[in-house]
Amino acid sequence: MWENNHHNSGLVSGAPEDFSQYCRDVPDFPKKGIIFRDITNLLKNGPVFKRAINQLADHYILEGIDTVVSIEARGFIIGSALAHHLGSGMVPVRKKGKLPWRVYRKSYDLEYGQDQLEVHQDGIEPGQNVLIVDDVIATGGTVEAVAKLVKEMKGNIIGAAFLIELEALKGKEKIKDIPVYSLIKYC
Ligand code: AMP
């Protein structure tokens, strides 16, 4: 037994934490046939939220991340906390029409529907080390579109981080060249 004093997070254990116990499955939301992975119970528990962010941060702390690119909307929650921890900037990728200045835009497919994502044209400088963050990777269509935007802006993508990976949907195959790290995996 050892205590994780490094972040003073209060977890006493040698085993990786099972964060899935704080995630709720909501069947048929937002559409019939979709099992929505609800992270609000993880977020509302301060020590658990902190440990989750600490674990993600530990994975990237030595990578020299300049910018965390976070995906609307739940990605903002994880991405902002992680960026704060890493001392990096946070760049929002938003749904069409939400960002006020000049944007680059990409179409993408969702597990449930299709949409467009935008980022400010001056959000990423060429050569910056970028970490892409969202709450869930499902089919991978969203993160694929974001990765294309970042590459077109000549950002150096270090990785893509998620709370949850839905492995059966094989989202990782859409971003084969990008290392993926997720805290919770569902088969
Ligand atoms: P995808 O593009 O299929 O990888 O979908 C990822 C995006 O859709 C993320 O922004 C998630 O927030 C959301 N998402 C997709 N499937 C789910 C799900 N089963 N539960 C919760 N969020 C989901």
Side-chain angles (χ1 to χ4, degrees), residues 98-155:
K98 304 268 187 177
L99 287 170
W101 199 64
R102 282 183 224 141
V103 295
Y104 295 124
R105 181 178 304 144
K106 231 5 121 196
S107 293
Y108 71 112
D109 292 320
L110 276 175
E111 192 182 354
Y112 36 84
Q114 226 220 4
D115 217 334
Q116 288 182 313
L117 289 172
E118 296 179 341
V119 65
H120 273 156
Q121 290 185 4
D122 61 355
I124 299 163
E125 303 294 326
Q128 279 193 316
N129 286 342
V130 171
L131 175 64
I132 301 173
V133 173
D134 204 354
D135 63 332
V136 175
I137 177 169
T139 66
T142 307
V143 67
E144 181 187 26
V146 174
K148 281 182 185 163
L149 280 171
V150 174
K151 283 176 188 169
E152 284 167 16
M153 296 166 84
K154 305 209 179 333

Short mmCIF file of all heavy atoms in Angstrom, two decimals, residues 98-155:
data_model
loop_
_atom_site.label_atom_id
_atom_site.label_comp_id
_atom_site.label_asym_id
_atom_site.label_seq_id
_atom_site.Cartn_x
_atom_site.Cartn_y
_atom_site.Cartn_z
N LYS A 98 -20.69 29.22 -33.24
CA LYS A 98 -20.57 29.66 -31.83
C LYS A 98 -19.36 30.55 -31.59
O LYS A 98 -19.35 31.34 -30.65
CB LYS A 98 -20.45 28.45 -30.90
CG LYS A 98 -21.57 27.45 -31.03
CD LYS A 98 -22.67 27.75 -30.05
CE LYS A 98 -23.70 26.64 -30.07
NZ LYS A 98 -24.72 26.84 -29.10
N LEU A 99 -18.31 30.37 -32.38
CA LEU A 99 -17.08 31.14 -32.13
C LEU A 99 -17.19 32.49 -32.85
O LEU A 99 -17.64 32.56 -33.99
CB LEU A 99 -15.85 30.36 -32.62
CG LEU A 99 -15.45 29.17 -31.74
CD1 LEU A 99 -14.39 28.32 -32.44
CD2 LEU A 99 -14.96 29.62 -30.37
N PRO A 100 -16.74 33.56 -32.17
CA PRO A 100 -17.02 34.91 -32.69
C PRO A 100 -16.09 35.39 -33.80
O PRO A 100 -16.43 36.33 -34.53
CB PRO A 100 -16.85 35.78 -31.44
CG PRO A 100 -15.87 35.05 -30.60
CD PRO A 100 -16.13 33.60 -30.84
N TRP A 101 -14.90 34.81 -33.90
CA TRP A 101 -13.92 35.37 -34.83
C TRP A 101 -13.78 34.47 -36.05
O TRP A 101 -14.59 33.57 -36.25
CB TRP A 101 -12.58 35.57 -34.07
CG TRP A 101 -11.65 36.53 -34.74
CD1 TRP A 101 -11.85 37.87 -34.95
CD2 TRP A 101 -10.38 36.20 -35.28
NE1 TRP A 101 -10.77 38.39 -35.59
CE2 TRP A 101 -9.85 37.41 -35.82
CE3 TRP A 101 -9.64 35.02 -35.38
CZ2 TRP A 101 -8.61 37.44 -36.44
CZ3 TRP A 101 -8.40 35.07 -36.00
CH2 TRP A 101 -7.89 36.27 -36.53
N ARG A 102 -12.72 34.66 -36.84
CA ARG A 102 -12.51 33.84 -38.05
C ARG A 102 -12.22 32.40 -37.67
O ARG A 102 -11.44 32.16 -36.74
CB ARG A 102 -11.34 34.37 -38.86
CG ARG A 102 -11.69 35.59 -39.66
CD ARG A 102 -10.49 36.02 -40.49
NE ARG A 102 -10.37 37.46 -40.39
CZ ARG A 102 -9.23 38.12 -40.28
NH1 ARG A 102 -8.07 37.48 -40.26
NH2 ARG A 102 -9.22 39.44 -40.21
N VAL A 103 -12.81 31.46 -38.41
CA VAL A 103 -12.66 30.05 -38.03
C VAL A 103 -12.20 29.19 -39.21
O VAL A 103 -12.36 29.56 -40.37
CB VAL A 103 -14.01 29.46 -37.52
CG1 VAL A 103 -14.44 30.13 -36.23
CG2 VAL A 103 -15.10 29.54 -38.58
N TYR A 104 -11.62 28.05 -38.87
CA TYR A 104 -11.50 26.92 -39.79
C TYR A 104 -12.61 25.95 -39.40
O TYR A 104 -12.94 25.81 -38.21
CB TYR A 104 -10.14 26.25 -39.66
CG TYR A 104 -8.97 27.11 -40.07
CD1 TYR A 104 -7.92 27.37 -39.19
CD2 TYR A 104 -8.91 27.66 -41.35
CE1 TYR A 104 -6.84 28.16 -39.55
CE2 TYR A 104 -7.83 28.45 -41.73
CZ TYR A 104 -6.81 28.70 -40.83
OH TYR A 104 -5.75 29.48 -41.19
N ARG A 105 -13.16 25.25 -40.41
CA ARG A 105 -14.34 24.41 -40.17
C ARG A 105 -14.14 23.02 -40.78
O ARG A 105 -13.51 22.87 -41.82
CB ARG A 105 -15.54 25.08 -40.84
CG ARG A 105 -16.85 24.34 -40.67
CD ARG A 105 -18.01 25.10 -41.33
NE ARG A 105 -18.10 26.45 -40.78
CZ ARG A 105 -18.44 27.54 -41.49
NH1 ARG A 105 -18.74 27.43 -42.77
NH2 ARG A 105 -18.48 28.72 -40.92
N LYS A 106 -14.72 22.01 -40.12
CA LYS A 106 -14.66 20.62 -40.61
C LYS A 106 -15.99 19.93 -40.36
O LYS A 106 -16.56 20.07 -39.27
CB LYS A 106 -13.62 19.89 -39.78
CG LYS A 106 -12.49 19.06 -40.30
CD LYS A 106 -12.16 18.93 -41.66
CE LYS A 106 -10.74 19.40 -41.93
NZ LYS A 106 -10.43 19.63 -43.31
N SER A 107 -16.46 19.18 -41.33
CA SER A 107 -17.66 18.34 -41.13
C SER A 107 -17.25 17.04 -40.48
O SER A 107 -16.14 16.57 -40.67
CB SER A 107 -18.32 18.02 -42.47
OG SER A 107 -18.83 19.18 -43.03
N TYR A 108 -18.16 16.44 -39.72
CA TYR A 108 -17.84 15.18 -39.06
C TYR A 108 -19.11 14.38 -38.81
O TYR A 108 -20.21 14.93 -38.72
CB TYR A 108 -17.09 15.41 -37.75
CG TYR A 108 -17.92 16.00 -36.63
CD1 TYR A 108 -18.24 15.26 -35.50
CD2 TYR A 108 -18.41 17.30 -36.72
CE1 TYR A 108 -19.00 15.80 -34.48
CE2 TYR A 108 -19.17 17.85 -35.70
CZ TYR A 108 -19.46 17.10 -34.59
OH TYR A 108 -20.22 17.63 -33.59
N ASP A 109 -18.93 13.06 -38.67
CA ASP A 109 -20.05 12.16 -38.36
C ASP A 109 -20.03 11.84 -36.89
O ASP A 109 -18.99 11.63 -36.30
CB ASP A 109 -19.91 10.85 -39.15
CG ASP A 109 -20.11 11.07 -40.63
OD1 ASP A 109 -21.00 11.86 -40.99
OD2 ASP A 109 -19.35 10.48 -41.42
N LEU A 110 -21.21 11.79 -36.29
CA LEU A 110 -21.37 11.40 -34.89
C LEU A 110 -21.93 10.00 -34.80
O LEU A 110 -22.45 9.47 -35.78
CB LEU A 110 -22.40 12.31 -34.22
CG LEU A 110 -21.98 13.65 -33.69
CD1 LEU A 110 -23.21 14.39 -33.19
CD2 LEU A 110 -21.00 13.47 -32.54
N GLU A 111 -21.86 9.42 -33.58
CA GLU A 111 -22.57 8.17 -33.35
C GLU A 111 -24.06 8.40 -33.60
O GLU A 111 -24.78 7.52 -34.04
CB GLU A 111 -22.34 7.71 -31.90
CG GLU A 111 -22.78 6.29 -31.61
CD GLU A 111 -22.56 5.90 -30.15
OE1 GLU A 111 -21.97 6.70 -29.40
OE2 GLU A 111 -23.00 4.80 -29.78
N TYR A 112 -24.50 9.64 -33.31
CA TYR A 112 -25.89 9.98 -33.57
C TYR A 112 -25.98 11.30 -34.34
O TYR A 112 -26.18 12.35 -33.80
CB TYR A 112 -26.71 10.05 -32.27
CG TYR A 112 -25.98 10.59 -31.06
CD1 TYR A 112 -25.87 11.95 -30.83
CD2 TYR A 112 -25.39 9.72 -30.15
CE1 TYR A 112 -25.23 12.45 -29.72
CE2 TYR A 112 -24.73 10.21 -29.02
CZ TYR A 112 -24.66 11.58 -28.82
OH TYR A 112 -24.02 12.06 -27.70
N GLY A 113 -25.75 11.26 -35.65
CA GLY A 113 -25.96 12.43 -36.51
C GLY A 113 -24.71 12.95 -37.20
O GLY A 113 -23.70 12.26 -37.26
N GLN A 114 -24.83 14.16 -37.75
CA GLN A 114 -23.71 14.81 -38.44
C GLN A 114 -23.68 16.28 -38.06
O GLN A 114 -24.72 16.87 -37.76
CB GLN A 114 -23.91 14.68 -39.96
CG GLN A 114 -22.65 14.26 -40.67
CD GLN A 114 -22.43 14.97 -41.98
OE1 GLN A 114 -23.18 15.86 -42.36
NE2 GLN A 114 -21.37 14.60 -42.68
N ASP A 115 -22.48 16.86 -38.05
CA ASP A 115 -22.37 18.27 -37.64
C ASP A 115 -21.08 18.87 -38.19
O ASP A 115 -20.33 18.20 -38.90
CB ASP A 115 -22.41 18.39 -36.11
CG ASP A 115 -23.19 19.62 -35.66
OD1 ASP A 115 -23.25 20.60 -36.43
OD2 ASP A 115 -23.71 19.61 -34.54
N GLN A 116 -20.84 20.13 -37.82
CA GLN A 116 -19.59 20.79 -38.22
C GLN A 116 -18.93 21.38 -36.98
O GLN A 116 -19.60 21.87 -36.08
CB GLN A 116 -19.89 21.89 -39.23
CG GLN A 116 -20.29 21.33 -40.59
CD GLN A 116 -20.54 22.44 -41.59
OE1 GLN A 116 -21.23 23.40 -41.29
NE2 GLN A 116 -19.97 22.31 -42.76
N LEU A 117 -17.61 21.32 -36.98
CA LEU A 117 -16.82 21.84 -35.86
C LEU A 117 -15.95 22.99 -36.35
O LEU A 117 -15.50 22.98 -37.50
CB LEU A 117 -15.91 20.74 -35.30
CG LEU A 117 -16.60 19.62 -34.53
CD1 LEU A 117 -15.61 18.52 -34.20
CD2 LEU A 117 -17.24 20.16 -33.25
N GLU A 118 -15.72 23.95 -35.46
CA GLU A 118 -14.93 25.12 -35.82
C GLU A 118 -13.89 25.43 -34.75
O GLU A 118 -14.12 25.17 -33.57
CB GLU A 118 -15.85 26.34 -35.99
CG GLU A 118 -16.84 26.19 -37.13
CD GLU A 118 -17.77 27.37 -37.28
OE1 GLU A 118 -17.92 28.17 -36.33
OE2 GLU A 118 -18.36 27.49 -38.37
N VAL A 119 -12.79 26.04 -35.20
CA VAL A 119 -11.75 26.51 -34.27
C VAL A 119 -11.28 27.88 -34.77
O VAL A 119 -11.29 28.14 -35.98
CB VAL A 119 -10.58 25.49 -34.21
CG1 VAL A 119 -9.86 25.35 -35.54
CG2 VAL A 119 -9.60 25.82 -33.09
N HIS A 120 -10.93 28.74 -33.86
CA HIS A 120 -10.40 30.05 -34.26
C HIS A 120 -9.11 29.87 -35.06
O HIS A 120 -8.25 29.06 -34.69
CB HIS A 120 -10.12 30.93 -33.04
CG HIS A 120 -11.31 31.71 -32.59
ND1 HIS A 120 -11.45 32.15 -31.31
CD2 HIS A 120 -12.40 32.16 -33.27
CE1 HIS A 120 -12.59 32.84 -31.21
NE2 HIS A 120 -13.18 32.85 -32.38
N GLN A 121 -8.96 30.67 -36.09
CA GLN A 121 -7.80 30.54 -36.98
C GLN A 121 -6.48 30.81 -36.26
O GLN A 121 -5.44 30.32 -36.66
CB GLN A 121 -7.95 31.46 -38.19
CG GLN A 121 -9.06 30.98 -39.12
CD GLN A 121 -9.17 31.80 -40.39
OE1 GLN A 121 -8.37 32.71 -40.62
NE2 GLN A 121 -10.16 31.49 -41.21
N ASP A 122 -6.54 31.61 -35.19
CA ASP A 122 -5.30 31.89 -34.46
C ASP A 122 -5.21 31.07 -33.15
O ASP A 122 -4.43 31.40 -32.26
CB ASP A 122 -5.18 33.40 -34.13
CG ASP A 122 -6.32 33.90 -33.27
OD1 ASP A 122 -7.25 33.12 -32.98
OD2 ASP A 122 -6.29 35.09 -32.89
N GLY A 123 -6.00 30.00 -33.06
CA GLY A 123 -6.02 29.20 -31.83
C GLY A 123 -4.74 28.43 -31.61
O GLY A 123 -4.32 28.22 -30.47
N ILE A 124 -4.14 27.97 -32.69
CA ILE A 124 -2.94 27.12 -32.59
C ILE A 124 -1.84 27.70 -33.47
O ILE A 124 -2.08 28.02 -34.64
CB ILE A 124 -3.27 25.68 -33.06
CG1 ILE A 124 -4.37 25.07 -32.17
CG2 ILE A 124 -2.02 24.80 -33.06
CD1 ILE A 124 -5.02 23.87 -32.80
N GLU A 125 -0.66 27.82 -32.89
CA GLU A 125 0.51 28.27 -33.65
C GLU A 125 1.19 27.05 -34.27
O GLU A 125 1.24 25.99 -33.63
CB GLU A 125 1.52 28.96 -32.73
CG GLU A 125 0.99 30.15 -31.96
CD GLU A 125 0.61 31.30 -32.86
OE1 GLU A 125 1.28 31.49 -33.90
OE2 GLU A 125 -0.38 31.99 -32.53
N PRO A 126 1.75 27.19 -35.47
CA PRO A 126 2.48 26.07 -36.07
C PRO A 126 3.57 25.56 -35.12
O PRO A 126 4.28 26.36 -34.51
CB PRO A 126 3.11 26.67 -37.33
CG PRO A 126 2.24 27.83 -37.67
CD PRO A 126 1.73 28.37 -36.36
N GLY A 127 3.67 24.25 -34.98
CA GLY A 127 4.71 23.64 -34.15
C GLY A 127 4.34 23.48 -32.69
O GLY A 127 5.09 22.84 -31.93
N GLN A 128 3.21 24.04 -32.26
CA GLN A 128 2.82 23.87 -30.85
C GLN A 128 2.45 22.41 -30.56
O GLN A 128 1.85 21.74 -31.41
CB GLN A 128 1.61 24.75 -30.51
CG GLN A 128 1.98 26.19 -30.22
CD GLN A 128 0.83 26.95 -29.59
OE1 GLN A 128 -0.31 26.83 -30.02
NE2 GLN A 128 1.13 27.75 -28.58
N ASN A 129 2.82 21.96 -29.36
CA ASN A 129 2.46 20.61 -28.92
C ASN A 129 1.01 20.61 -28.43
O ASN A 129 0.67 21.31 -27.47
CB ASN A 129 3.37 20.15 -27.79
CG ASN A 129 4.75 19.80 -28.29
OD1 ASN A 129 4.96 19.58 -29.48
ND2 ASN A 129 5.70 19.74 -27.38
N VAL A 130 0.19 19.81 -29.10
CA VAL A 130 -1.25 19.84 -28.85
C VAL A 130 -1.72 18.51 -28.28
O VAL A 130 -1.34 17.44 -28.75
CB VAL A 130 -2.01 20.12 -30.18
CG1 VAL A 130 -3.51 19.95 -29.99
CG2 VAL A 130 -1.68 21.51 -30.69
N LEU A 131 -2.57 18.61 -27.25
CA LEU A 131 -3.28 17.44 -26.73
C LEU A 131 -4.77 17.67 -26.99
O LEU A 131 -5.32 18.69 -26.59
CB LEU A 131 -3.03 17.29 -25.22
CG LEU A 131 -3.80 16.18 -24.52
CD1 LEU A 131 -3.39 14.81 -25.05
CD2 LEU A 131 -3.60 16.25 -23.01
N ILE A 132 -5.40 16.71 -27.67
CA ILE A 132 -6.84 16.81 -27.95
C ILE A 132 -7.59 16.09 -26.83
O ILE A 132 -7.22 14.98 -26.45
CB ILE A 132 -7.17 16.18 -29.32
CG1 ILE A 132 -6.39 16.88 -30.43
CG2 ILE A 132 -8.66 16.24 -29.60
CD1 ILE A 132 -6.51 16.22 -31.80
N VAL A 133 -8.65 16.74 -26.31
CA VAL A 133 -9.37 16.18 -25.16
C VAL A 133 -10.88 16.19 -25.39
O VAL A 133 -11.45 17.20 -25.84
CB VAL A 133 -9.04 16.98 -23.87
CG1 VAL A 133 -9.90 16.51 -22.71
CG2 VAL A 133 -7.56 16.83 -23.51
N ASP A 134 -11.51 15.06 -25.07
CA ASP A 134 -12.98 15.00 -25.05
C ASP A 134 -13.39 14.05 -23.93
O ASP A 134 -12.54 13.35 -23.37
CB ASP A 134 -13.51 14.53 -26.40
CG ASP A 134 -14.95 14.99 -26.64
OD1 ASP A 134 -15.57 15.57 -25.74
OD2 ASP A 134 -15.46 14.76 -27.76
N ASP A 135 -14.69 14.02 -23.63
CA ASP A 135 -15.13 13.10 -22.56
C ASP A 135 -15.17 11.66 -23.05
O ASP A 135 -14.76 10.75 -22.33
CB ASP A 135 -16.49 13.53 -21.97
CG ASP A 135 -17.63 13.48 -22.98
OD1 ASP A 135 -17.38 13.64 -24.19
OD2 ASP A 135 -18.78 13.27 -22.56
N VAL A 136 -15.66 11.46 -24.27
CA VAL A 136 -15.88 10.11 -24.79
C VAL A 136 -15.34 10.00 -26.21
O VAL A 136 -15.54 10.92 -27.02
CB VAL A 136 -17.40 9.79 -24.82
CG1 VAL A 136 -17.66 8.43 -25.47
CG2 VAL A 136 -18.00 9.82 -23.42
N ILE A 137 -14.65 8.89 -26.53
CA ILE A 137 -14.41 8.55 -27.93
C ILE A 137 -15.33 7.37 -28.26
O ILE A 137 -15.28 6.33 -27.60
CB ILE A 137 -12.92 8.26 -28.25
CG1 ILE A 137 -12.77 7.84 -29.73
CG2 ILE A 137 -12.30 7.24 -27.32
CD1 ILE A 137 -11.33 7.78 -30.24
N ALA A 138 -16.18 7.59 -29.26
CA ALA A 138 -17.13 6.56 -29.67
C ALA A 138 -16.70 6.05 -31.04
O ALA A 138 -15.77 5.24 -31.14
CB ALA A 138 -18.55 7.12 -29.64
N THR A 139 -17.30 6.57 -32.12
CA THR A 139 -16.87 6.14 -33.47
C THR A 139 -15.55 6.78 -33.89
O THR A 139 -14.93 6.35 -34.86
CB THR A 139 -17.93 6.53 -34.52
OG1 THR A 139 -17.98 7.96 -34.60
CG2 THR A 139 -19.30 5.98 -34.18
N GLY A 140 -15.16 7.84 -33.19
CA GLY A 140 -13.91 8.52 -33.52
C GLY A 140 -14.06 9.63 -34.55
O GLY A 140 -13.11 10.33 -34.87
N GLY A 141 -15.29 9.80 -35.07
CA GLY A 141 -15.51 10.82 -36.11
C GLY A 141 -15.20 12.23 -35.62
O GLY A 141 -14.63 13.04 -36.37
N THR A 142 -15.55 12.51 -34.40
CA THR A 142 -15.35 13.86 -33.86
C THR A 142 -13.86 14.16 -33.71
O THR A 142 -13.36 15.18 -34.20
CB THR A 142 -16.04 14.00 -32.47
OG1 THR A 142 -17.39 13.59 -32.61
CG2 THR A 142 -15.96 15.41 -31.96
N VAL A 143 -13.15 13.26 -33.05
CA VAL A 143 -11.72 13.51 -32.81
C VAL A 143 -10.96 13.48 -34.14
O VAL A 143 -9.98 14.23 -34.31
CB VAL A 143 -11.15 12.53 -31.77
CG1 VAL A 143 -11.11 11.12 -32.25
CG2 VAL A 143 -9.75 12.97 -31.34
N GLU A 144 -11.41 12.70 -35.09
CA GLU A 144 -10.77 12.67 -36.42
C GLU A 144 -10.86 14.06 -37.07
O GLU A 144 -9.87 14.58 -37.61
CB GLU A 144 -11.45 11.63 -37.31
CG GLU A 144 -10.83 11.53 -38.69
CD GLU A 144 -11.63 10.62 -39.63
OE1 GLU A 144 -12.85 10.45 -39.43
OE2 GLU A 144 -11.02 10.08 -40.56
N ALA A 145 -12.05 14.66 -36.99
CA ALA A 145 -12.24 16.00 -37.58
C ALA A 145 -11.35 17.03 -36.87
O ALA A 145 -10.73 17.87 -37.51
CB ALA A 145 -13.71 16.40 -37.48
N VAL A 146 -11.29 16.93 -35.55
CA VAL A 146 -10.46 17.88 -34.78
C VAL A 146 -8.99 17.69 -35.13
O VAL A 146 -8.25 18.66 -35.31
CB VAL A 146 -10.71 17.72 -33.27
CG1 VAL A 146 -9.76 18.58 -32.46
CG2 VAL A 146 -12.16 18.06 -32.94
N ALA A 147 -8.57 16.43 -35.24
CA ALA A 147 -7.18 16.15 -35.59
C ALA A 147 -6.84 16.73 -36.97
O ALA A 147 -5.75 17.28 -37.17
CB ALA A 147 -6.92 14.65 -35.56
N LYS A 148 -7.79 16.64 -37.90
CA LYS A 148 -7.55 17.22 -39.23
C LYS A 148 -7.37 18.73 -39.14
O LYS A 148 -6.49 19.31 -39.77
CB LYS A 148 -8.72 16.89 -40.17
CG LYS A 148 -8.67 15.48 -40.72
CD LYS A 148 -9.83 15.25 -41.68
CE LYS A 148 -9.85 13.80 -42.13
NZ LYS A 148 -11.14 13.42 -42.71
N LEU A 149 -8.22 19.37 -38.35
CA LEU A 149 -8.10 20.83 -38.17
C LEU A 149 -6.72 21.18 -37.59
O LEU A 149 -6.05 22.09 -38.07
CB LEU A 149 -9.18 21.34 -37.20
CG LEU A 149 -10.59 21.54 -37.76
CD1 LEU A 149 -11.57 21.83 -36.63
CD2 LEU A 149 -10.63 22.66 -38.78
N VAL A 150 -6.33 20.46 -36.55
CA VAL A 150 -5.05 20.76 -35.87
C VAL A 150 -3.89 20.55 -36.84
O VAL A 150 -2.96 21.37 -36.90
CB VAL A 150 -4.88 19.90 -34.60
CG1 VAL A 150 -3.49 20.11 -33.98
CG2 VAL A 150 -5.97 20.22 -33.56
N LYS A 151 -3.95 19.46 -37.62
CA LYS A 151 -2.87 19.19 -38.58
C LYS A 151 -2.80 20.28 -39.65
O LYS A 151 -1.72 20.70 -40.05
CB LYS A 151 -3.07 17.83 -39.24
CG LYS A 151 -2.67 16.68 -38.32
CD LYS A 151 -2.95 15.34 -38.96
CE LYS A 151 -2.74 14.22 -37.95
NZ LYS A 151 -3.25 12.93 -38.43
N GLU A 152 -3.98 20.73 -40.12
CA GLU A 152 -4.00 21.79 -41.14
C GLU A 152 -3.42 23.09 -40.59
O GLU A 152 -2.87 23.89 -41.34
CB GLU A 152 -5.44 22.00 -41.64
CG GLU A 152 -5.84 20.89 -42.61
CD GLU A 152 -7.34 20.85 -42.91
OE1 GLU A 152 -8.03 21.85 -42.64
OE2 GLU A 152 -7.80 19.81 -43.41
N MET A 153 -3.52 23.26 -39.26
CA MET A 153 -2.95 24.45 -38.62
C MET A 153 -1.50 24.20 -38.21
O MET A 153 -0.88 25.03 -37.55
CB MET A 153 -3.79 24.83 -37.40
CG MET A 153 -5.21 25.22 -37.79
SD MET A 153 -6.32 25.27 -36.36
CE MET A 153 -5.99 26.91 -35.74
N LYS A 154 -0.99 23.04 -38.58
CA LYS A 154 0.40 22.64 -38.34
C LYS A 154 0.75 22.48 -36.86
O LYS A 154 1.90 22.66 -36.44
CB LYS A 154 1.38 23.60 -39.05
CG LYS A 154 1.10 23.72 -40.55
CD LYS A 154 2.33 24.03 -41.32
CE LYS A 154 2.13 24.16 -42.82
NZ LYS A 154 1.03 23.41 -43.42
N GLY A 155 -0.26 22.14 -36.06
CA GLY A 155 -0.01 21.77 -34.67
C GLY A 155 0.62 20.38 -34.63
O GLY A 155 0.39 19.56 -35.51
#
